[in-house]
């Protein structure tokens, strides 16, 4: 059974089948958040720190940190901004970091800034990226997220994606990276643009977990791009992929619908011993509402008795 062990300064997070689903908080990502992008570029990391604290309080186990600012010269700008963001996050929370960049010098700078055992997000099956990124991962003893696309792009065929995932796992092993440290991201395409995209993804998840014995993750919010009521789609998608055996996701822990879906799926799959986490999660709001209802019923009984008397 593959277990991927990720670490912060003092905390260990284990990703694996049969365990509670691991939530990688997606919020520290300036793409689509103009304000955040401008602040990060100007050296203001107050919102990054707030987002880190809020996501961990909401239940994130790991934080994804992305500094893709949409600048013309990312190779010069992104390494410093990403490293700074990671250091700021580590000052306010003690959870492992998922270093999210397509810029290789930024991944390097991120690996220098991150403490413990981080995740490098990500490598693809493109020769140039395999040869540049896998040595960095091996040298640092990190884990890595692998995307099964190559120079020819993204295939819509599950078996083709699986074969690229296999290629990356085998190459990683040649560099001394054990397969449990390679987390496969089967590629989440927007359901509104690619019909049946979740079905293909689920086929890849099954093949990867059964035939490669690797853990899996995905950018869950991608599934709902361009569609209304994204929260509901994201929540349903997460429950489905947990049912198919996915073991972690990059998602938004600040959305209660998403957290409820993940906790419910964990309980139903037997990944939550005695449904203890589920029961505890329902005590807060639901429990309080229940007791205030009981209080209201007692009040009305009392007032009826007084009226009768
Ligand atoms: N796989 C891997 N890494 C990834 C992705 C993936 N990293 C980036 C992305 N995809 C996952 N992270 C996000 C972060 C935010 C959103 C979606 C995915 C998002 N943001 C809002 C939007 O665009 O509507 C904008 C911000 C906001 O909420 O205000 O949806 O697939 N390995």
């Amino acid at each position: 059974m593959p277990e991927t062990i990720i670490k912060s300064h003092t905390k260990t997070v284990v990703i694996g089948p049969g365990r509670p689903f691991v939530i990688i908080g997606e919020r520290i990502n300036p793409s689509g958040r103009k304000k955040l992008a401008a602040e990060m570029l100007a050296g203001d990391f107050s919102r990054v720190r707030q987002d880190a604290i809020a996501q961990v309080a909401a239940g994130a186990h790991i934080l994804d940190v992305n500094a893709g600012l949409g600048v013309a010269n990312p190779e010069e700008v992104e390494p410093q901004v990403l490293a700074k963001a990671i250091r700021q996050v580590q000052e306010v929370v003690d959870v492992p970091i998922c270093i999210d960049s397509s810029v290789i010098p930024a991944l390097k700078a991120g690996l220098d800034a991150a403490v413990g055992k981080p995740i490098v997000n990500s490598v693809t099956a493109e020769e140039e990226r395999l040869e540049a990124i896998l040595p960095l991962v091996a040298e640092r003893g990190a884990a890595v997220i692998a995307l099964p696309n190559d120079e020819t792009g993204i295939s819509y065929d599950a078996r083709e994606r699986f074969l690229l995932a296999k290629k990356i796992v085998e190459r990683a092993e040649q560099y001394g990276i054990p397969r449990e440290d390679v987390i496969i991201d089967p590629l989440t395409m927007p359901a509104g643009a690619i019909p049946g995209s979740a079905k293909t993804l689920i086929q890849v998840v099954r093949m990867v977990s059964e035939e490669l014995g690797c853990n899996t993750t995905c950018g869950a919010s991608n599934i709902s791009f361009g569609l209304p009521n994204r929260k509901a789609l994201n929540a349903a998608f997460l429950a489905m992929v947990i049912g198919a055996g996915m073991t972690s996701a990059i998602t938004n822990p600040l959305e209660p619908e998403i957290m409820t879906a993940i906790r419910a799926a964990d309980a139903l799959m037997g990944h939550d011993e005695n449904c203890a986490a589920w029961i505890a999660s329902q005590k807060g709001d639901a429990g309080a509402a229940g007791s205030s209802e009981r209080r209201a019923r007692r009040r009305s009984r009392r007032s009826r008795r007084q009226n009768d008397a």
Side-chain angles (χ1 to χ4, degrees):
M1 270 234 283
E3 296 208 318
T4 309
I5 294 170
I6 310 295
K7 290 179 181 171
S8 64
H9 178 56
T10 70
K11 295 234 167 73
T12 297
V13 174
V14 183
I15 306 173
R19 288 180 172 271
F21 195 68
V22 169
I23 297 159
I24 306 171
E26 74 177 14
R27 296 288 301 160
I28 303 173
N29 187 332
S31 32
R33 295 179 72 187
K34 282 203 186 119
K35 236 187 194 169
L36 180 66
E39 289 169 356
M40 288 172 80
L41 200 53
D44 173 5
F45 289 85
S46 52
R47 199 183 301 267
V48 167
R49 292 163 77 103
Q50 282 164 23
D51 280 350
I53 293 166
Q55 290 184 97
V56 172
H61 305 103
I62 296 173
L63 292 180
D64 187 86
V65 183
N66 180 302
L69 297 164
V71 294
N73 53 343
E75 304 254 332
E76 279 114 68
V77 176
E78 211 180 303
Q80 297 163 48
V81 180
L82 184 60
K84 183 92 190 278
I86 290 169
R87 291 200 177 93
Q88 294 273 329
V89 167
Q90 291 176 152
E91 273 181 33
V92 292
V93 292
D94 180 18
V95 298
I97 303 295
C98 180
I99 308 163
D100 189 353
S101 180
S102 54
V103 177
I104 292 167
L107 292 177
K108 262 189 216 171
L111 278 170
D112 287 337
V115 301
K117 180 183 174 189
I119 304 175
V120 170
N121 183 15
S122 52
V123 69
T124 67
E126 295 162 284
E127 271 312 311
E128 218 176 297
R129 300 192 70 82
L130 287 169
E131 297 302 314
I133 296 168
L134 293 179
L136 300 175
V137 173
E139 188 188 9
R140 179 64 167 70
V144 64
I145 295 176
L147 306 178
N149 67 274
D150 65 5
E151 292 82 356
T152 67
I154 296 175
S155 170
Y156 295 144
D157 180 76
R159 174 66 40 186
E160 277 182 35
R161 278 195 212 168
F162 166 78
L163 290 173
L164 287 184
K166 186 161 183 264
K167 172 181 169 171
I168 302 172
V169 168
E170 286 166 358
R171 189 71 62 86
E173 284 182 332
Q174 286 171 10
Y175 278 103
I177 303 165
R179 70 174 52 209
E180 59 268 24
D181 282 339
V182 182
I183 304 165
I184 307 296
D185 178 339
L187 294 167
T188 310
M189 311 302 285
I194 316 287
S197 90
K199 195 181 231 176
T200 309
L201 179 138
I202 283 168
Q203 289 170 338
V204 181
V205 170
R206 292 223 165 92
M207 285 189 255
V208 163
S209 51
E210 284 163 20
E211 299 176 45
L212 283 184
C214 284
N215 282 306
T216 46
T217 197
C218 70
S221 310
N222 298 352
I223 199 71
S224 62
F225 273 127
L227 291 173
N229 199 354
R230 292 187 63 183
K231 287 177 217 169
L233 288 169
N234 295 347
F237 173 72
L238 280 161
M240 289 164 67
V241 298
I242 292 171
M246 191 170 270
T247 44
S248 68
I250 305 162
T251 190
N252 186 357
L254 303 180
E255 292 293 354
E257 279 164 273
I258 286 178
M259 295 304 280
T260 301
I262 292 172
R263 290 189 177 116
D266 270 345
L268 300 174
M269 290 294 287
H271 301 166
D272 170 10
E273 210 178 327
N274 301 321
C275 299
W278 174 257
I279 292 166
S281 74
Q282 298 305 303
K283 271 192 182 137
D285 289 349
S291 69
S292 75
E293 250 173 64
R294 279 193 295 278
R295 271 198 303 277
R297 274 199 298 273
R298 273 197 300 273
R299 261 199 308 277
S300 73
R301 273 198 301 271
R302 248 195 323 269
S303 72
R304 266 199 308 277
R305 278 197 302 272
Q306 278 157 4
N307 289 345
D308 291 348

